[in-house]
Amino acid sequence: MACWILNEKLSVLLLLVWLGLNLYLFIDTFLWYEDEDAYIYTRIMLGSTLAWARASAACLNFNCMLILLPVSRNLISFLRGASACCGGAPRRQLDKNIAFHKVVAYGIAEPTTQICSLYVALKNSEHKGSRCECAS
């Protein structure tokens, strides 16, 4: 167990930083849309759905930007050359770029699912109050 912690401490640290950034983006954007006076009329119409959708979209935008970085060969080559003076831990992280790419893909799937669920919930709440009267 101790060897695993020594070998993977940078991976765990990067994963925690990524999760922390996503959490910060979500909370900051949610509070912005939930408390800002400019969106009061939209909140009256949609409730807190706007804040949930915008916060999920902020995380989605961040992760879509981030998913391209680990598979950019020029960037990886540049960072490998720049980390030649450093120890082996940063260079090992560059070799795990595909694993990080997969983790970020899960980070894209979660907000996308959340946005789709909010859309369905909003559509269902709109149709619940209205009645369709068809002429027969």
Side-chain angles (χ1 to χ4, degrees):
M1 182 69 177
C3 290
W4 183 85
I5 292 172
L6 288 175
N7 289 333
E8 301 297 328
K9 64 183 171 191
L10 192 56
S11 296
V12 171
L13 179 68
L14 287 174
L15 184 64
L16 290 175
V17 166
W18 174 71
L19 286 172
L21 281 171
N22 273 301
L23 186 65
Y24 170 75
L25 273 173
F26 186 87
I27 291 172
D28 187 49
T29 308
F30 181 85
L31 292 176
W32 173 262
Y33 282 99
E34 192 67 23
D35 297 334
E36 186 65 28
D37 289 337
Y39 303 105
I40 192 161
Y41 296 114
T42 311
R43 274 196 309 275
I44 290 170
M45 289 187 304
L46 301 176
S48 66
T49 309
L50 174 72
W52 283 98
R54 292 293 182 151
S56 299
C59 292
L60 185 63
N61 287 340
F62 172 69
N63 288 322
C64 284
M65 177 271 308
L66 197 60
I67 199 166
L68 296 176
L69 294 179
V71 292
S72 173
R73 291 196 181 273
N74 290 336
L75 178 67
I76 297 296
S77 297
F78 172 74
L79 290 175
R80 233 182 230 125
S83 69
C85 61
C86 300
R91 292 179 65 88
R92 255 182 279 138
Q93 289 305 310
L94 294 174
D95 293 336
K96 297 178 183 179
N97 60 344
I98 301 301
F100 182 69
H101 182 80
K102 290 176 184 177
V103 168
V104 174
Y106 290 122
I108 288 174
E110 191 275 325
T112 304
T113 305
Q114 194 172 16
I115 289 172
C116 292
S117 300
L118 288 168
Y119 176 76
V120 169
L122 184 63
K123 284 296 181 185
N124 286 340
S125 68
E126 283 179 2
H127 292 301
K128 220 182 263 184
S130 63
R131 282 180 50 186
C132 178
E133 297 190 21
C134 302
S136 329

